[in-house]
Amino acid sequence: MSESALPATVYVVGVGPGETDLLTLRAVKVLERCEVIFHPGPRDDSGFALAVVAPLLRPNQLIRGAELAMRRGPDDGTVGYDRVAQRLAHEASQGRPVAFLTEGDPMLFGSGSYVAERLRLIAPDVPVEIVPGVSASSAAAARLGWPLAQKDEILTICPGTYHSDEIGAILDRGGPVCWFKAAAVLPRLVEELRQRGRLDRAALIERIGHPDERVFLDISEALLVDLSYFSLVLVR
Ligand SMILES: C[S@@+](CC[C@H](N)C(=O)[O-])C[C@H]1O[C@@H](n2cnc3c(N)ncnc32)[C@H](O)[C@@H]1O
């Protein structure tokens, strides 16, 4: 790119929960346009978000794993966001349209939201466009046929690992709750629900929309298996 040329756009793309046909048309168009595609996964050729878009990619697109750790504890791997933002800014400054993939919706606890914030700080001249995606919470509601919220209900979306001591209090507020990062807090969640006679109002879904998806309508059964980080609990 010549020095006077404008940088290309960085697209932060929500890929939805798992099924390729839940990508938005905009996401598909953006991915067609991008020469370089970064995803949060551990290797260039492997990752949760990458698997969603894999059927759409062309051999001449450069795919890069950003190695953003998905951990079960309170440290959810924020360390790499600056590094990813630097790499995206570099590609855009060379005139190459570049995408960063995020599972679900980028602006709902998504790594894309942190990367976009860092980008605006370190490369304010680089245009950033956010492409929304279907959140795992919406996909779970659809899978179960349970509305996320109706009428006067107040929906709580809670990243469980940050609030493990508040599970009972959150349930006592009433209203539907979507528990993200549910695997690590499941024993406590099961116990608090049991105490309130609400176990039958909860379901756990692991890896929604992926070929190995599992649905537990009795969430205490999920205590017996090794669960993926990509598990959520919906309580109505
Ligand atoms: C950091 S949050 C990201 C949420 C995402 N941005 C969204 O809009 O769905 C990660 C948590 O979302 C939930 N999650 C994301 N994708 C999922 C999927 N396909 N199946 C089940 N849970 C998922 C899990 O609870 C996981 O621990």
Side-chain angles (χ1 to χ4, degrees), residues 17 48 103-105 108-110 135-136 180-181 205 207-208 229-232:
F48 193 86
E103 86 275 358
D105 180 73
L108 188 66
F109 301 113
S135 169
F180 280 164
K181 301 175 188 275
I205 310 193
R207 299 177 65 90
I208 305 167
Y229 165 83
F230 292 98
S231 303
L232 66 78

Side-chain angles (χ1 to χ4, degrees), residues 117-132:
E117 281 173 355
R118 295 326 195 256
L119 256 173
R120 290 192 180 108
L121 285 176
I122 64 170
D125 57 322
V126 171
V128 178
E129 186 179 323
I130 313 277
V131 180

Side-chain angles (χ1 to χ4, degrees), residues 14 16-19 48 52 70-72 76 81 102-114 133-140 157-162 178-183 204-210 213-214 228-233:
E19 288 148 314
F48 193 86
V52 182
M70 302 290 165
R71 303 202 184 104
R72 291 182 179 185
D76 58 359
Y81 297 140
T102 307
E103 86 275 358
D105 180 73
M107 304 309 259
L108 188 66
F109 301 113
S111 41
S113 66
Y114 305 108
V134 174
S135 169
S137 49
S138 301
I157 301 183
C158 179
T161 44
Y162 294 93
C178 176
W179 300 89
F180 280 164
K181 301 175 188 275
L204 182 146
I205 310 193
E206 182 190 36
R207 299 177 65 90
I208 305 167
H210 289 254
E213 171 186 294
R214 291 192 286 191
S228 151
Y229 165 83
F230 292 98
S231 303
L232 66 78
V233 170

